[in-house]
């Protein structure tokens, strides 16, 4: 086995398109990160699911935050300081004011259940390396980048001398992180969400232009869970040695 890097950050996004929470430990299930992207933002009047990048009225979604409380309940915040339950009018009112429409947070339907389905279901997990971020930053040096623009579940810290986007070499390969084993599936295609304003990140159309024209629209890697288990920040990422010719 060879070390390809270490887990630098773990992210969970209880509500799709809202800001997420950085964790020190994450439990990986066959379906992905436990508690990840289980809810969505909806227009309380029409029932329409919010879809950033498709309509201008949805573009403020990543400017608010979501997290899991100690009991597993989903909580929301407009400033990352004061938190409220998703059924609390005292929390929904400022969220609606920020978004500019009457907002509701609702759970997605499970497999075989009636109800709204997640917009994205390409893969259980999304992984990104710091090498990929450095490579994109070199193409758009004036842009403000960090992993939050790309919403990975797992950020892998790779050595400074690693160039390009090394995770593409993990497609079809199994690799271990902590107590879990993953397999790379396909590169992650990007959309206008990468350009949207978030706390500390300005609106920046150059990000998507660079991804479209220099990177084939992709950045990062989708993964599936081969063996569920816990992972923690600092865990090594190990891959089998490549077979000799």
């Amino acid at each position: 086995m060879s070390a390809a890097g270490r887990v630098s950050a773990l992210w969970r996004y209880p509500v799709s398109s809202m800001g997420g929470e950085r964790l020190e430990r994450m439990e990986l299930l066959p379906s992905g990160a436990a508690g990840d992207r289980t809810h969505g933002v909806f227009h309380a009047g029409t029932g329409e699911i919010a879809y950033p990048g498709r309509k201008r009225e949805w573009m403020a979604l990543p400017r608010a935050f979501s997290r899991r409380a100690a009991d597993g309940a989903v909580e929301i915040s407009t400033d990352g300081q004061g938190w409220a339950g998703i059924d609390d009018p005292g929390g929904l009112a400022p969220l609606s004011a920020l978004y500019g429409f009457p907002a509701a947070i609702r759970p997605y339907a499970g497999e075989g259940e009636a109800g709204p389905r997640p917009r994205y279901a390409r893969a259980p997990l999304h992984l990104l390396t710091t090498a990929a971020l450095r490579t994109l930053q070199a193409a758009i040096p004036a842009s403000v980048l960090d992993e939050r623009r790309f919403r990975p579940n797992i950020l892998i810290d790779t050595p400074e001398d690693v160039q390009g986007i090394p995770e593409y070499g993990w497609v079809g390969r199994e690799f271990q992180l902590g107590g879990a084993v993953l397999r790379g599936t396909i590169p992650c295609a990007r959309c206008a969400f990468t350009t949207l304003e978030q706390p500390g990140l300005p609106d920046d159309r150059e990000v998507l232009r660079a991804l479209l024209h220099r990177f084939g629209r992709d950045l990062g890697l989708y993964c599936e869970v081969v063996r569920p288990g816990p992972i923690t920040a600092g865990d090594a990422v190990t891959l089998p040695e490549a077979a000799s010719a």
Side-chain angles (χ1 to χ4, degrees):
M1 303 289 281
S2 61
R6 290 190 176 275
V7 176
S8 174
L10 299 170
W11 288 91
R12 177 170 63 188
Y13 311 92
V15 181
S16 294
S17 300
M18 292 181 68
E21 56 182 338
R22 185 167 175 170
L23 306 175
E24 288 298 314
R25 183 182 186 277
M26 177 182 287
E27 189 71 29
L28 296 187
L29 309 175
S31 57
D36 186 53
R37 295 176 172 93
T38 58
H39 291 63
V41 181
F42 294 79
H43 190 293
T46 66
E48 184 179 7
I49 187 171
Y51 201 150
R54 177 170 291 182
K55 287 187 177 182
R56 183 170 296 276
E57 65 181 298
W58 307 131
M59 291 174 63
L61 261 65
R63 291 164 56 190
F65 306 87
S66 65
R67 72 178 185 185
R68 293 272 174 183
D71 63 359
V74 175
E75 296 182 329
I76 55 174
S77 173
T78 56
D79 60 7
Q81 302 297 318
W83 295 86
I86 60 175
D87 297 320
D88 183 348
L92 289 172
L95 190 69
S96 297
L98 174 66
Y99 287 166
F101 63 88
I105 309 297
R106 297 171 181 167
Y108 292 129
E111 194 68 35
E113 299 176 349
R117 304 290 300 171
R119 294 194 317 273
Y120 304 110
R122 290 190 177 185
L125 286 171
H126 171 211
L127 177 150
L128 184 66
T129 64
T130 55
L133 286 176
R134 290 194 299 270
T135 301
L136 178 59
Q137 186 75 78
I140 44 174
S143 294
V144 181
L145 298 182
D146 70 31
E147 71 265 25
R148 290 176 298 144
R149 283 202 186 274
F150 309 100
R151 299 174 70 79
N153 294 112
I154 306 168
L155 179 69
I156 302 300
D157 185 27
T158 49
E160 288 290 329
D161 61 350
V162 173
Q163 305 295 316
I165 306 174
E167 56 265 44
Y168 291 170
W170 306 349
V171 172
R173 299 180 68 185
E174 294 184 7
F175 52 95
Q176 185 167 350
L177 300 83
V181 174
L182 307 181
R183 180 185 295 114
T185 55
I186 59 173
C188 181
R190 297 300 174 177
C191 66
F193 192 98
T194 58
T195 71
L196 299 182
E197 177 186 353
Q198 300 182 44
L201 298 174
D203 183 88
D204 187 348
R205 304 303 172 87
E206 289 302 316
V207 176
L208 186 58
R209 288 192 185 100
L211 290 169
L212 288 172
H213 298 300
R214 304 192 192 190
F215 295 85
R217 199 187 186 104
D218 298 333
L219 194 77
L221 183 68
Y222 285 125
C223 302
E224 59 188 1
V225 181
V226 176
R227 186 180 74 201
I231 59 176
T232 59
D235 282 344
V237 181
T238 54
L239 291 91
E241 298 286 355
S244 57

